Amino acid sequence: MTSIASVTLEVADLAAAERFYSTAFGLDDRLRLRASEAPTSGFRGFTLSLVVSQPADVDALVDAAVQAGATTLKPAAKSLWGYGGVVQAPDGTIWQIASSSKKNTGPATRRVDEFVLLLGVEDVKAGKQFYVDHGLAVAKSFGSKYVEFATGPGPVKLALYKRRGLAKVAGVSPDGTGSHRLTITSGAGPFTDPDGFAWTTASEDAPV
């Protein structure tokens, strides 16, 4: 089963990004950073999600991110599916922080249960087939709207979402141009998918 070892964010200010992520989330080597001046504007076509066990943990992570310099895109709130909020890091990366639970069961922690990369694609069915052809197995699929892959015990989960739908969830315009400023490290690479997301088999990026 193909697993994803890490994701690398390309950032304009490496030292500032290192400070932010170590303070806000502390994701160890699941998240790596690399300096880049690649031009980019607007929505970069992906979000990263931190799935936690209870609303108090969502609040703890959102508060830590905002205190470290993030901007709130959607305040944490209850919804039909649980509780969550959306923030944008100083480097521009959008983070969803969510729990399927609507009730707290203990003291707040900042423990992350799942780290999920959601790629916004133009054609979910075509993207699904591309990734299946590159060795990934489908775990869940909802027609042309969403697909989740089985990445086994790997530290990073992967899902595809319609680009416009993902932007709506994030609370931003779907418009954007230039680099995604994202590289995915996995045994499945190296390749670039139909929407321009780059995969590699090795990384020299320094972990946060």
Side-chain angles (χ1 to χ4, degrees):
M1 182 177 292
T2 298
S3 63
I4 299 174
S6 64
V7 296
T8 299
L9 298 177
E10 298 177 358
V11 299
D13 188 331
L14 183 59
E18 288 174 342
R19 287 194 300 271
F20 171 79
Y21 285 112
S22 62
T23 300
F25 301 143
L27 294 169
D28 304 316
D29 58 0
R30 288 174 285 186
L31 179 70
R32 296 170 181 264
L33 303 171
R34 178 169 58 224
S36 173
E37 296 292 341
T40 187
S41 65
F43 183 45
R44 282 160 43 195
F46 73 93
T47 69
L48 290 166
S49 291
L50 304 180
V51 181
V52 297
S53 62
Q54 61 179 352
D57 300 342
V58 173
D59 291 336
L61 285 166
V62 168
D63 290 347
V66 171
Q67 290 174 14
T71 301
T72 301
L73 296 179
K74 285 188 175 181
K78 287 183 180 179
S79 68
L80 291 175
W81 49 263
Y83 184 87
V86 184
V87 299
Q88 188 167 29
D91 67 275
T93 303
I94 295 172
W95 292 82
Q96 299 183 57
I97 304 168
S99 172
S100 60
S101 173
K102 298 181 183 180
K103 294 183 179 180
N104 293 318
T105 56
T109 74
R110 289 167 60 186
R111 186 172 69 88
V112 175
D113 295 330
E114 290 187 345
F115 179 44
V116 185
L117 169 61
L118 291 102
L119 301 182
V121 301
E122 293 300 327
D123 187 329
V124 172
K125 286 186 176 180
K128 170 185 171 182
Q129 188 59 54
F130 176 88
Y131 280 109
V132 168
D133 291 343
H134 282 75
L136 277 74
V138 174
K140 298 177 184 178
S141 181
F142 299 92
S144 61
K145 294 184 177 180
Y146 176 85
V147 59
E148 182 179 311
F149 295 97
T151 49
V156 183
K157 307 300 182 184
L158 175 69
L160 306 183
Y161 209 117
K162 193 78 172 175
R163 180 185 171 100
R164 285 189 171 274
L166 185 58
K168 184 177 181 180
V169 169
V172 298
S173 166
D175 298 329
T177 61
S179 174
H180 294 299
R181 287 198 177 182
L182 174 77
T183 302
I184 304 156
T185 301
S186 167
F191 58 79
T192 299
D193 81 0
D195 294 272
F197 291 103
W199 289 60
T200 185
T201 53
S203 176
E204 297 178 355
D205 306 307
V208 176

